[in-house]
Every structure is written in C-alpha cells, then in structure tokens.
Amino acid sequence: MNPWRRSGATPVSAEGRIEDLLCALWHMGDRHLRDDGSVTDIARRPIPSAGATYAVHTHLIVGTDGTDGLEPGHYVYDHDRGQLLRRDSARETAAGWELPHRPFIDSRVVFSVQPGRSFGRYRHRAWPLWIADAAYALEAVRFLLDTDLPGVFGPGPEIRAQLGMPPAAETDAWLRRGMVPEIPLVSIGLSSSWAVAPQRRHALARRRSPKLVDFVRNPVHNTNAARLAELTGQAWIAHADRIETWEVAPRAPAETIYDSLWHAHSAAARLCYNAALSQKVRCRPVSGIPAAAESWTMHAVAMLDGIEDTEEEPDDDRP
C-alpha cells in the first residue's frame, strides 16, 4: 500500500453503501493456514489474487452529489488498515500532480495495480497477472451490485487523468512523494441507486478456493483435467471434476491478447463468484500455464462438486 497519509491524504469515515462495498471487497479475515496447520502472515480476502500478492489498490471518485456523506473529491482506500483516505488537492498540486478541476457527475471506483510484489516474484510473467487481479476485482463489484456496470479500461491517459496520476514510467514523480508507481487498469461508474446485495456479500465472504489435498482425494476421471495437469506440471488438476479454460493464439496481435486476457479472467471470476452463490461447486483459479506453439491457455478454473468448509491455501495457483 502506498503511504498516501505521508502525502497529505487524511482519514475520513466511510459509511452506508461505501463502507458496505469496501468491506465486501477487501475485508481482512483470519490468516491463511499451511497444510501443516501453521499460520501464514497472509490474511484472507474475499477476492482471490494471483499468488496471494494482492497487487490491486482501490480508488474512489465521489461525484458532485456526494455519496453517503462523502464530499465530492478523490479518495484512496488503505487496504491494510481498512481506512478510507481523502487526497489533498493542494498538496498534490504542489508536488506537480494535478487532480481534475471539474468534478465528476457520477461516482466511480478505480482499481490500480502496484506491480512491485508480483513483479518481484514472477518477473516477466507478472503483467498478465495484473490484468487478472484487476478483472477479478471488477467482476466482484459487478457481482456485489448485481449489475453489469460499464468500465473504462487502462492503462492509458483517460484513466490516469481520472485519478490525476502521472504514468508509472515517470518513476521520479512517484518517488519524490515517497511512493511507488501504480498503474490504473479499470474505472467503473456507479449509478445513483447502486447497493450491495446482502446475499451476494455473504457469498463472496465465504468464497474459498479448495485446498490441493481436496483435489487429490478425488479420483481422476476427467480427461480434459488430466491433459491440463500434464501441460502445467501440476498433478492435482487431474483430480478436478471438471475444468474451464480460455485460450488465445500466442502470435495474435497485442490488442487481441490484451482483450482476451480481460475476457478470460472476467469470465473466470464470474464463474467463481456465481459458484459461491449457488454453493454447488468449488472453484480454484489456475494461471501461469506454458504456451504451446499454436495456443496459450491464459487461464483455467479447476472445479470440485459440492461445498466443504475447508481452509484456503495462501496461494490460489495463479502464479
């Protein structure tokens, strides 16, 4: 989490719908447990993250009419402390940043990624995972509000302008303020009548990826799962009751790959969240799958029938 407080952002009270939404997305639960029962230092969150790196950060733009007691302006959510902060326009202007002068009419949620942790772990394989995490966050908002809200997708000047941020490549502009670059990836407009659906909030809160041991206990009977297990080198996948995969040609144009990544991970997120709502199947996302000559399986979801109250592992196998 960037130290926005040191850059002049001040804590504010989030109430009503805003509090409901932020808590439903990012509430920190108990710590993950390892297979041997020992406790990790990684807190459970409702939204899965590739390798549990949690690269996504949440910004809120409050429109001209205000939202649940918040004044119009730009806010950022401190995921670690569960605290909403209001950015200081004067401090940012003095630092050479420029928040939009004209207020937005409607409120927006913007998800950025802070690449450091996932890049440190995955290097050149990290960039698709930033889209993956942002897509899972986007679909969580749509799921909670039970509405297919439109989005503006980044990176690019339009979404950066919404947040008044310099490009991530301009590292000096970030480092001078004691922060590291963020890359805004998706901005979602909120309608005036939006609300978090209680049943969906509870479903997202109880969502857990099944442990690998749960798969291994299951007999191998799905040939598609067995083939994917061989391709990935992850034997547990062969024990899935079924799998869903998304592919793209490795030599496709960059724009096609970009669009396909958003489509694949958004579809996978919807599958996982709807499964948590129905309680008929458990889903574990899978990424980091090697590309073959003619096809790259960008993402997959391995599924087990039925719901079992188990501890989720600290890594959801989206390396």
Side-chain angles (χ1 to χ4, degrees):
M1 176 71 198
N2 262 325
W4 287 94
R5 282 180 173 82
R6 293 210 306 261
S7 297
T10 55
V12 296
S13 177
E15 301 176 352
R17 296 178 301 171
I18 293 296
E19 182 181 25
D20 285 347
L21 178 60
L22 293 174
C23 287
L25 291 171
W26 303 117
H27 173 72
M28 295 176 66
D30 296 336
R31 303 290 172 175
H32 292 280
L33 300 180
R34 300 184 181 90
D35 279 341
D36 62 5
S38 60
V39 181
T40 72
D41 60 355
I42 303 172
R44 292 174 174 168
R45 296 187 188 271
I47 301 175
S49 171
T53 55
Y54 295 108
V56 168
H57 295 277
T58 308
H59 296 262
L60 175 68
I61 302 172
V62 174
T64 53
D65 292 337
T67 299
D68 294 10
L70 294 175
E71 296 181 358
H74 285 68
Y75 299 78
V76 60
Y77 186 61
D78 186 333
H79 287 213
D80 296 330
R81 301 187 185 184
Q83 176 70 63
L84 189 65
L85 309 172
R86 184 172 187 182
R87 293 167 61 185
D88 187 313
S89 178
R91 289 278 296 271
E92 304 219 357
T93 300
W97 291 28
E98 198 68 45
L99 289 175
H101 294 294
R102 186 170 60 185
F104 287 80
I105 297 175
D106 298 319
S107 297
R108 308 190 68 85
V109 174
V110 185
F111 292 120
S112 66
V113 293
Q114 193 178 85
R117 186 174 176 187
S118 50
F119 180 78
R121 182 170 181 177
Y122 300 119
R123 298 297 176 179
H124 65 283
R125 296 183 297 149
W127 71 267
L129 305 181
W130 303 333
I131 293 177
D133 279 10
Y136 271 81
L138 163 66
E139 293 302 332
V141 174
R142 289 172 167 171
F143 174 78
L144 289 166
L145 275 54
D146 196 13
T147 305
D148 188 16
L149 298 166
V152 175
F153 295 89
E158 179 180 1
I159 194 170
R160 284 200 308 271
Q162 289 184 6
L163 292 181
M165 286 181 171
E170 295 180 7
T171 53
D172 287 347
W174 292 85
L175 296 176
R176 280 196 302 268
R177 302 189 66 195
M179 296 194 289
V180 296
E182 294 182 26
I183 305 173
L185 285 183
V186 63
S187 172
I188 313 148
L190 299 174
S191 66
S192 59
S193 59
W194 68 272
V196 173
Q199 184 181 14
R200 289 171 174 260
R201 181 179 67 240
H202 297 321
L204 190 62
R206 67 172 174 256
R207 185 212 62 80
R208 293 289 182 269
S209 296
K211 295 174 64 176
L212 301 190
V213 67
D214 296 332
F215 283 94
V216 174
R217 292 191 187 112
N218 205 37
V220 176
H221 59 84
N222 186 299
T223 56
N224 291 331
R227 281 196 294 268
L228 184 63
E230 183 178 1
L231 176 63
T232 62
Q234 300 183 58
W236 64 269
I237 297 175
H239 298 264
D241 287 317
R242 57 188 178 278
I243 60 168
E244 191 77 29
T245 60
W246 293 266
E247 294 84 19
V248 68
R251 294 182 176 83
E255 288 186 1
T256 300
I257 293 177
Y258 170 86
D259 291 341
S260 298
L261 282 166
W262 276 106
H263 168 76
H265 292 95
S266 291
R270 291 193 296 270
L271 176 62
C272 292
Y273 301 152
N274 286 326
L277 183 63
S278 71
Q279 299 192 69
K280 293 180 180 179
V281 65
R282 291 178 289 157
C283 299
R284 188 178 183 101
V286 185
S287 286
I289 303 169
E294 301 300 327
S295 179
W296 172 32
T297 300
M298 299 170 289
H299 196 48
V301 174
M303 290 169 273
L304 289 175
D305 292 331
I307 293 294
E308 182 180 351
D309 185 16
T310 59
E311 299 288 351
E312 184 188 7
E313 292 182 341
D315 191 316
D316 71 355
D317 287 288
R318 289 165 48 198

